[in-house]
Amino acid sequence: MREPLLDQQQEQPSSQDDSTPSSLFTYLYVAHFLARWSARMWEFSVGLYMISIWPNSLLFAALYGVVESASTMLFGPFVGQWVDRLTYVKVLRIWLVAQNFSFIIAGCTVIALLRFSTLKSTNYAAFISLVLLTNVSGAVAVLSSLAGTILIEREWVVVISEGHPPEILTKLNSIIRRIDLICKLFAPVLSGFVISFVSLTASAVTLALWNAISIWVEYWLFISVYNGIPALGERSQKRISRLSPVEVVEESTLTSQETENLLSHDGGNSALTVNTWESTIIQWVPCLDAWRVYFKQDVVLPGLALALLYFTVLSFGTLMIAVLEWQGIPAYVISIGRGISAMIGISATFVYPILQSRISTIRTGLWSTWSQWTCLLVCVGSIWVKNSVLAAYMLMAGVATSRLGLWMFDLSVLQQMQDHVPEADRGAVGGVQNSLQSTLDLMTYVMGIIISNPQDFWKLTLISFVLVTLASLLYTSYVYLVRKHLFHFEKLHFS
C-alpha cells in the first residue's frame, strides 16, 4: 500500500497546497541546503589547502582524494546497510553530529597547518600528524554525508511522494538536486572570494564556525519534518520491525536433538554446511551481502555507467582546481568558473522534468550522457592549445557546459533506481552505488599520484574522456537491451 504524505482525511486525498505541507517542504529544503553547503565549502577548498601546504605538486591533493575515496569505497556498503537497520531519527542524529564535528576538526587542523607553516621543516612528525588528521576528518565527514544522502534522497523523498502521481517524485528529486547544485554554485564563490581577498586561513575559520552554528538549526529543521509527516515515522518503525531477528531467536532455541535430526536427513548436512559458510562469510565481510543485492538489480548497468563517470579529472574537483591554481588562474576566477558550472547544472534540474515527461526516464538518460560526451570534446581540444591560459579557460568551459548532460543523467539513473529497487534494498543499493563511485574516484586520485606533475595533466584528461565514452556506450547498450531500439523521435512533442 502506498502511504499518503500526511495523515489526511479520506475526503481530502491531496493537501499539497495546504500551509502545513508547504512549511514542511520549506524546512526540508532549508535543512538540506545547510547540510550540503558545508560539504561544498570543504570540497572546493581542500584542493587549495593541499596545494598551498605542498606547492608545485598534486601529491597531497591526490593523497587526500585517495583517503576520502577509499573510505567511501570500503565503508559505503556498510553505511547503506546501517541506514537500513536504524530508525530515521538515529541516522539523522549520527549523520549531523559526525559530519559537522568532522568539518570543525578538519577546519582547525588546516588553520594550524597554515598558521604554523614552518612545521614542515621544524617538526615534521607534527606536520604529518596534522595532515593525517585533516585527511581522516574529511573522510569521516564524507561518510556521514553519504548516510545523509541515502536517508534524504533514497528514503524520505520516496516515502513523501508515495500516494501521489509519479511527477511528484520527479519534482522532489529535481528540487533536492537543485539545492545541492546551488550550494555547489555559491559556496565555492564565497570561499574563493574569502581566499583571494582575505586568506586561506580565514576560509578555514569560516568553515569551522559555519558547522559549529548550523548543526543545531539543521537538526531542528529535519526533526520538524519527521514529526510533521506521520508516514516517515510509520515507515521507520516498519523497517525496524522487518529487521527484527526472529530467525536468530528461532535458531537459538533448537535443541541438540533437533539439530541431530536435521543433520540426519539426506542432503541436510550439505545444505546446512553451505548456509553456515555463507553466514560465516557474511559475518566476517558484512558488505558482501550488500554487493550481492546490488548486482541482482535490474538497473545495475545504469548504476555502473554512472559510476564510471567518477573516474575523471574533468570536473571542478580537487585535482583540476589544484592544476588551475598551478597555472596561475586566481582562486576567485576558479570559483566563478565552478559557479557557472553549477548554474548550468541547476538548469539541468529544470530541463530534466520537462524532457523526462516527454521521452521517459530511460531515454532522457541516453540523450543526457551523449550530450555530456559532446561538450567534453572541448576539453580534449584544449590539450593541443599552446597558450596555457587559453587552454585552461577551454578546459573550464568544456567541463562547465558538460554539467547539463551530467546532472540530467544523474537524475535519470537515480529515478530509475527509486522506481525499480525494492524498498528493503534501497539503503544497501545506495551504499554500494556510492562505494562503487568512490572506487572509481579513488582510481582517479591514484592516477593523480602516478601522474603528479601538473604539466602532464593532459594525460589524465584523455584517460577521463575515454572513461566517459565507455560509460555512454554501456548505458546505450542497456537502453537497447530494454527497449530493443535507441531512438524514438515520435515521443518528442514539444508544444
Side-chain angles (χ1 to χ4, degrees), residues 26-302:
T26 302
Y27 287 175
L28 176 64
Y29 299 151
V30 173
H32 186 62
F33 170 83
L34 295 175
R36 294 309 300 159
W37 184 275
S38 301
R40 291 306 188 182
M41 285 178 67
W42 174 254
E43 181 185 279
F44 173 79
S45 303
V46 66
L48 300 177
Y49 295 148
M50 293 303 172
I51 199 73
S52 175
I53 292 168
W54 199 277
N56 300 319
S57 175
L58 298 178
L59 182 61
F60 269 35
L63 284 174
Y64 172 80
V66 167
V67 172
E68 180 185 293
S69 301
S71 300
T72 308
M73 177 190 70
L74 294 173
F75 301 111
F78 173 77
V79 171
Q81 289 183 316
W82 167 71
V83 171
D84 274 338
R85 293 173 180 175
L86 294 179
T87 63
Y88 287 158
V89 173
K90 286 183 179 179
V91 175
L92 182 64
R93 289 171 179 168
I94 296 172
W95 157 37
L96 294 180
V97 170
Q99 174 181 304
N100 286 274
F101 275 91
S102 294
F103 280 137
I104 292 171
I105 294 171
C108 291
T109 55
V110 167
I111 293 169
L113 285 167
L114 295 174
R115 293 287 293 174
F116 304 101
S117 56
T118 58
L119 279 176
K120 186 164 53 177
S121 56
T122 59
N123 193 336
Y124 194 71
F127 171 76
I128 292 298
S129 298
L130 286 172
V131 171
L132 288 176
L133 184 57
T134 303
N135 288 0
V136 171
S137 299
V140 172
V142 170
L143 278 174
S144 54
S145 297
L146 170 59
T149 299
I150 295 173
L151 178 67
I152 301 303
E153 295 186 5
R154 298 179 184 271
E155 288 287 341
W156 282 23
V157 167
V158 177
V159 173
I160 289 172
S161 65
E162 288 181 341
H164 297 285
E167 294 78 14
I168 298 300
L169 178 59
T170 300
K171 181 180 178 181
L172 285 173
N173 283 334
S174 298
I175 293 175
I176 291 294
R177 182 66 73 241
R178 190 177 306 147
I179 290 169
D180 185 30
L181 292 173
I182 287 172
C183 294
K184 195 172 185 176
L185 164 61
F186 290 106
V189 170
L190 176 62
S191 298
F193 274 86
V194 171
I195 291 169
S196 296
F197 299 108
V198 186
S199 66
L200 276 170
T201 304
S203 72
V205 171
T206 303
L207 174 74
L209 289 176
W210 173 270
N211 284 275
I213 296 170
S214 65
I215 180 174
W216 311 105
V217 182
E218 291 171 34
Y219 180 75
W220 179 78
L221 291 170
F222 277 125
I223 206 67
S224 297
V225 174
Y226 176 82
N227 291 332
I229 302 179
L232 291 174
E234 293 167 8
R235 183 60 55 86
S236 180
Q237 293 304 316
K238 284 182 180 179
R239 292 164 73 249
I240 299 305
S241 62
R242 185 187 70 234
L243 294 168
S244 60
V246 176
E247 293 84 3
V248 176
V249 174
E250 291 177 352
E251 186 175 333
S252 64
T253 58
L254 287 173
T255 63
S256 59
Q257 181 61 44
E258 289 172 329
T259 303
E260 288 181 13
N261 291 338
L262 286 172
L263 294 175
S264 66
H265 291 291
D266 292 336
N269 187 39
S270 175
L272 187 60
T273 302
V274 171
N275 290 335
T276 302
W277 275 106
E278 288 182 353
S279 300
T280 302
I281 292 173
I282 292 172
Q283 179 181 0
W284 286 100
V285 190
C287 299
L288 183 62
D289 190 47
W291 283 91
R292 185 173 61 182
V293 169
Y294 178 84
F295 282 105
K296 287 182 178 179
Q297 304 301 319
D298 295 334
V299 290
V300 64
L301 289 180

Side-chain angles (χ1 to χ4, degrees), residues 321-360:
I321 290 173
V323 167
L324 292 172
E325 172 80 5
W326 172 82
Q327 289 179 321
I329 307 298
Y332 76 92
V333 174
I334 300 173
S335 68
I336 291 173
R338 183 182 169 121
I340 294 172
S341 172
M343 288 179 66
I344 295 174
I346 292 169
S347 69
T349 66
F350 291 98
V351 176
Y352 172 76
I354 299 172
L355 198 59
Q356 186 268 347
S357 66
R358 286 167 169 76
I359 63 173
S360 79

